[in-house]
């Protein structure tokens, strides 16, 4: 890598020495050809170096690594960017790329477009579609596997809400397992969006004394169980603090993250009063045969190192009318999910007929996640 | 009216105006989410998605109780020993105390107590193919929730509304919910204890 970098830096793009005037224009005008012999690199070397600098490391790794280990620190990001410029140029003009096969070219083209795509939040529907198509193709090129990725928008007349029955939950944690599988969460760090807190009866809700990682037969005598995850606040403090608008609230109430726009500053994590957000300290890994191929751009698509993620109420499922994986997996029926705007929905019945409460209601965050008892 | 009061009046009015204005949240004109739900659901027109395709191959029947209609799973096809009359062709008392092999040796009632409950509290000794109410009316096996609801009225109300039990398929209409006996074995209805589905070893490390 370092070797490649050297070669690459000796091109004039970044160099302080202004000896030869190699243009970075990708020789659309053909001007570069005349300069080529004077360069330290032949055209083939030039292109290889550029490809290497951008995705070179990835060629030696397995398909999974290739897609998801994207460097996040500024320096390498900058390097990549510059390299992508070169590749983009190369991909446009055929002069440099005779030697490389079509797939490498396509990969480079995809990388180039990915590098410069905008914030998903601001994209038109066509742009969203193009983005997910690109990601699907990229995955296919790199792993040979086909995934499906949706860019389905929020539907009119839908506002998602959730209710949790603390007298029904038995602490079985089937929800947690289902969530991890559904959402392609990192296996090695054992990331979980959901936490189940085992609490002592008669002590109110004291999270300090609760255990969210018990391992004994459940339900334990004299205890009750309370699950937390992202509450999809209607007035979300995490969204306010994001410096780059990489997280926002959709019209159906889902608070989502554009993993590719996130810069990993973790302000949102600090701003969330409910411990609802998770951070990828290392590269998330899922064995290829366990990857859930039914994905949504804002949901369970593969993440990279150094970005935030969290519960999305399984946007890939909920926007098609299904229940989130946790709701489906719960054997006790403690989890109720539905459309708050539908007066005949079960979630509405719970809100209107049971004594419901929310956590830290006084903060004004307006979570769309209620708790109730029988 | 001196200058002072004019100034105060001005401030009061400005503050009032501002506070009324600032009630309008950045993007939403609602004070809280409940208000938003109430306002927006007045114009509710329905959704385009449906749960229909997610019922897999579960056979469902429609029920209607006190104005609430929804789907529940069919039971008669699921009960192995149904139809009961394949064996119970004569009244139960004629079958008992004969040397017939014990057929339901695995069924033991762990539900309420012996004074409240024996087999014929729920099963109809005259016609085994039906359940029976406390007042000896027929209850279809597919409508066994009506049996339970005689004694468990509160749970029944919650179940109808959706606060007890579980919706299957998805959140989108039509609604389909599990029936009582999908979760509770009528002969032993309590939920058992078991080991949690997972254990997070990483968290244990972090805490040390």
């Amino acid at each position: 890598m370092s070797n490649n970098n050297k070669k690459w830096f000796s091109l004039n793009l970044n160099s302080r020495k202004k000896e030869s005037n190699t243009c970075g224009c990708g020789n659309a005008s053909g001007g570069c050809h005349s300069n080529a012999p004077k360069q330290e690199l032949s055209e083939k070397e030039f292109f290889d170096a550029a490809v290497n600098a951008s995705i070179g490391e990835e060629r030696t790794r397995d398909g999974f690594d290739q897609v998801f280990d994207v460097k996040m620190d500024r320096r390498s990001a900058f390097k990549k960017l510059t390299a992508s410029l070169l590749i983009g140029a190369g991909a446009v003009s055929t002069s440099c790329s005779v030697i490389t096969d079509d797939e490498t070219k396509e990969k480079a083209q995809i990388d180039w477009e990915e590098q410069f795509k905008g914030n998903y939040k601001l994209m038109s529907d066509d742009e969203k579609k193009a983005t997910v198509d690109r990601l699907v193709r990229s995955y296919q090129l790199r792993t040979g596997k086909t995934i499906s990725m949706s860019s389905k928008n929020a539907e009119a007349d839908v506002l998602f809400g959730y209710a949790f029955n603390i007298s029904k939950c038995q602490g079985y944690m089937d929800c947690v397992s289902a969530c991890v599988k559904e959402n392609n969460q990192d296996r090695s760090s054992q990331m979980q969006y959901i936490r189940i807190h085992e609490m002592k009866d008669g002590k109110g809700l004291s999270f300090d004394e609760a255990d969210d990682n018990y391992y004994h037969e459940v339900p334990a005598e004299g205890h009750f169980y309370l699950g937390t995850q992202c509450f999809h606040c209607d007035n979300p403090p995490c969204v306010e603090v994001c410096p780059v608008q990489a997280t926002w609230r959709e019209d159906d109430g889902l608070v989502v993250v554009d993993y590719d726009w996130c810069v990993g500053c973790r302000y949102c994590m600090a701003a969330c009063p409910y411990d609802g957000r998770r951070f990828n300290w290392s590269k998330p890994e899922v064995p290829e045969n366990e990857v859930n191929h039914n994905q949504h751009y804002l949901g369970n698509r593969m993440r990279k190192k150094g970005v935030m993620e969290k519960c999305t109420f399984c946007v890939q499922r909920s926007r098609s009318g299904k229940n989130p994986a946790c709701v489906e997996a719960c054997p006790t029926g403690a989890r109720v999910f539905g459309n708050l705007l539908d007066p005949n929905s079960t979630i509405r019945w719970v809100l209107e007929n049971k004594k419901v409460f929310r956590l830290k209601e006084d903060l004004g965050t307006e979570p769309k996640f209620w708790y109730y008892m029988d | 009216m001196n200058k002072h009061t004019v100034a105060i009046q001005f401030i009061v009015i400005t503050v009032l105006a501002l506070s009324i204005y600032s009630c309008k949240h950045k993007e939403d004109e609602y004070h809280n989410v409940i208000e938003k739900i109430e306002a927006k659901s007045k114009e509710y027109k329905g959704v385009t998605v449906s749960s229909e395709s997610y019922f897999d191959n579960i056979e469902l029947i429609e029920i209607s109780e006190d104005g609430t209609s929804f789907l529940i799973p069919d039971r008669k096809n699921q009960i192995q020993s149904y139809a009961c009359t394949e064996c119970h062709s004569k009244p139960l008392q004629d079958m008992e105390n004969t040397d017939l092999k014990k057929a339901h040796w695995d069924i033991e009632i762990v539900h309420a107590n012996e004074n409240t409950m024996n087999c014929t509290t729920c099963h109809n000794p005259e016609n085994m193919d039906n359940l029976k109410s406390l007042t000896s009316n027929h209850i279809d096996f597919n409508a066994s929730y009506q049996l339970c609801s005689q004694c468990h009225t509160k749970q029944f109300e919650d179940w109808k509304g959706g606060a007890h039990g579980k919706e299957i398929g998805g959140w989108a209409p039509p609604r389909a919910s599990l029936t009582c006996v999908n979760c509770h074995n009528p002969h032993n209805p309590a939920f058992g204890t078991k080991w949690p589905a997972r254990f997070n070893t990483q968290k244990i490390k972090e805490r040390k």
Side-chain angles (χ1 to χ4, degrees), chain A residues 166-167 169 198-206 209 219-225 373:
Chain A
I166 54 180
S167 42
C169 179
E198 185 178 72
M199 299 194 165
K200 277 207 181 67
D201 282 341
K203 292 208 160 180
L205 299 182
S206 71
E209 288 172 65
E221 189 75 39
H223 289 81
F224 68 97
Y225 298 83
M373 284 173 272

Side-chain angles (χ1 to χ4, degrees), chain A residues 9-269:
Chain A
F9 275 119
S10 64
L11 294 173
N12 267 350
L13 279 166
N14 280 5
S15 134
R16 266 164 245 135
K17 291 179 261 168
K18 284 232 160 132
E19 58 242 283
S20 80
N21 65 332
T22 334
C23 60
C25 67
N27 67 14
S29 63
C32 288
H33 281 289
S34 54
N35 283 343
K38 281 179 227 150
Q39 281 178 343
E40 288 168 46
L41 297 170
S42 70
E43 272 185 325
K44 175 179 163 33
E45 281 171 329
F46 169 92
F47 189 74
D48 283 353
V51 170
N52 251 331
S54 166
I55 55 169
E57 215 186 339
E58 297 176 28
R59 291 197 291 202
T60 56
R61 280 179 289 152
D62 64 74
F64 187 83
D65 287 350
Q66 289 176 8
V67 187
F68 308 109
D69 183 28
V70 178
K71 293 251 162 44
M72 283 308 293
D73 67 280
R74 271 178 159 274
R75 234 183 60 217
S76 57
F78 178 68
K79 277 190 211 161
K80 276 197 70 156
L81 199 89
T82 330
S84 303
L85 274 163
L86 287 173
I87 294 164
V92 175
S93 78
T94 45
S95 67
C96 301
S97 36
V98 219
I99 355 89
T100 45
D101 58 278
D102 286 349
E103 288 207 346
T104 314
K105 251 199 288 177
E106 194 185 353
K107 269 185 217 166
Q109 176 72 31
I110 287 173
D111 280 359
W112 154 259
E113 283 170 25
E114 270 299 292
Q115 206 70 249
F116 292 102
K117 74 175 173 190
N119 186 343
Y120 186 83
K121 179 187 178 182
L122 306 170
M123 285 184 198
S124 70
D125 288 356
D126 288 344
E127 287 167 333
K128 287 178 181 174
K129 180 78 177 51
T131 300
V132 297
D133 286 349
R134 210 158 53 222
L135 291 171
V136 168
R137 180 68 184 139
S138 170
Y139 194 86
Q140 195 175 41
L141 284 170
R142 294 179 147 119
T143 65
K145 300 261 164 44
T146 310
I147 54 173
S148 90
M149 194 184 294
S150 163
S151 56
K152 197 173 198 298
N153 286 329
E155 177 158 342
D157 274 336
V158 174
L159 187 67
F160 287 121
Y162 207 118
F164 187 102
N165 186 341
I166 54 180
S167 42
K168 280 286 166 292
C169 179
Q170 310 277 303
Y172 296 151
M173 293 215 213
D174 292 317
C175 50
V176 181
S177 278
C179 174
V180 169
K181 286 199 195 99
E182 169 71 29
N183 290 299
N184 296 322
Q185 279 157 56
D186 180 33
R187 303 297 199 263
S188 60
S189 67
Q190 298 179 22
M191 181 188 284
Q192 314 176 169
Y193 294 167
I194 303 174
R195 301 198 200 290
I196 306 290
H197 308 263
E198 185 178 72
M199 299 194 165
K200 277 207 181 67
D201 282 341
K203 292 208 160 180
L205 299 182
S206 71
F207 282 88
D208 294 343
E209 288 172 65
D211 182 3
D212 65 3
N213 196 35
Y214 49 84
Y215 199 63
H216 46 69
E217 276 194 59
V218 287
E221 189 75 39
H223 289 81
F224 68 97
Y225 298 83
L226 181 147
T228 57
Q229 59 209 65
C230 172
F231 291 160
H232 296 270
C233 300
D234 215 46
N235 189 14
C238 52
V239 166
E240 309 266 296
V241 300
C242 181
V244 294
Q245 297 197 50
T247 184
W248 64 92
R249 192 195 60 193
E250 295 263 292
D251 284 343
D252 54 8
L254 301 181
V255 175
V256 293
V257 181
D258 182 347
Y259 311 121
D260 293 337
W261 205 251
C262 173
V263 293
C265 72
R266 294 184 287 124
Y267 285 0
C268 54
M269 199 178 191

Side-chain angles (χ1 to χ4, degrees), chain B residues 172-186:
Chain B
R175 171 185 168 193
S177 290
L178 293 180
T179 185
C180 316
V181 293
N182 287 126
C183 296
H184 299 290
N185 175 346

